[in-house]
Amino acid sequence: MMFVVGINLPIRPSEFIALKYKDLFDENNLPKDYFLLTICGISQKQTISIPIRKNVKELLTIYSQQNGFDYITDADTGLFQSRKHQIITSIAWGNILKTSAKEIGIKKNICAESLRKTYGLNIYKHSQNKLQALLFLGELWGQIREAKVIQYLGLADTERLPIKFCVNIHPIKQAPVRQA
């Protein structure tokens, strides 16, 4: 469940482990349609609504039922807890990811940041307008330049967005000079 939520929300590992039940569930114990992400930009804070996919909402419902969550009593409870019913640490989260990845046959080194990066790659690769996707991800991650987002995503030169220029140069007509 942690993996599924991690690749579907563009949040930092520290934000992930701090997720509360109320962040993803409403008062009726149903998964929300949107996750509200607060971004601290250069000049101001803003909130962006990140849609939660239908299949993720179904898994969240099952997870909530299996763990006996109830909004009235558990709204401020950490969504992912340790066996001692405490919010997991970032080290524990990293170990859970690495162990889970090995169990399902992922041989690459995986960390909590990998999930955020996966979210970004999915947005980029499934977007018809690559530049718009880069701008959106840059806004989410507080990056000013698209080049930084491309670098963060680890896109190879062949995967990078093709830049096309269309320049129309017309001769400038000189205005007649007035004589006094």
Side-chain angles (χ1 to χ4, degrees):
M1 189 66 222
M2 295 168 82
F3 181 81
V4 171
V5 171
I7 64 171
N8 282 282
L9 295 179
I11 57 179
R12 292 179 176 90
S14 59
E15 296 166 329
F16 181 86
I17 61 175
L19 281 174
K20 306 263 188 246
Y21 185 77
K22 66 182 177 184
D23 294 331
L24 296 176
F25 290 88
D26 64 19
E27 296 83 11
N28 298 316
N29 292 313
L30 297 172
K32 293 180 178 180
D33 293 328
Y34 293 92
F35 172 74
L36 299 177
L37 178 64
T38 302
I39 300 170
C40 297
I42 295 168
S43 60
Q44 63 186 3
K45 276 187 176 182
Q46 71 180 69
T47 303
I48 296 178
S49 297
I50 305 295
I52 299 174
R53 296 181 184 158
K54 183 181 176 185
N55 60 341
V56 175
K57 288 170 40 174
E58 290 169 0
L59 290 172
L60 282 169
T61 300
I62 294 167
Y63 178 76
S64 173
Q65 291 168 350
Q66 287 175 345
N67 288 285
F69 283 121
D70 181 49
Y71 191 88
I72 295 170
T73 57
D74 300 318
D76 289 317
T77 301
L79 191 62
F80 301 109
Q81 300 180 7
S82 69
R83 291 185 187 119
K84 296 177 183 177
H85 301 288
Q86 297 172 344
I87 293 177
I88 61 170
T89 65
S90 57
I91 294 170
W93 172 215
N95 290 337
I96 291 167
L97 269 177
K98 288 175 185 175
T99 303
S100 300
K102 284 180 184 176
E103 286 177 4
I104 62 170
I106 296 175
K107 294 179 180 167
K108 290 186 177 184
N109 190 18
I110 188 168
C111 64
E113 196 68 30
S114 302
L115 303 182
R116 186 175 184 223
K117 192 173 177 179
T118 300
Y119 175 88
L121 283 168
N122 281 328
I123 293 289
Y124 180 80
K125 289 189 177 186
H126 292 97
S127 176
Q128 291 184 7
N129 186 333
K130 304 294 186 200
L131 181 58
Q132 189 175 16
L134 290 173
L135 292 172
F136 171 73
L137 293 170
E139 185 178 351
L140 280 178
W141 295 332
Q143 297 293 338
I144 298 170
R145 299 180 321 178
E146 296 83 27
K148 285 285 187 188
V149 177
I150 289 171
Q151 182 182 5
Y152 178 77
L153 293 174
L155 296 172
D157 288 337
T158 56
E159 296 172 306
R160 290 188 183 176
L161 118 106
I163 298 174
K164 298 177 184 175
F165 290 99
C166 179
V167 181
N168 292 324
I169 300 175
H170 299 284
I172 299 173
K173 293 182 180 177
Q174 209 169 15
V177 180
R178 287 189 185 184
Q179 299 203 356

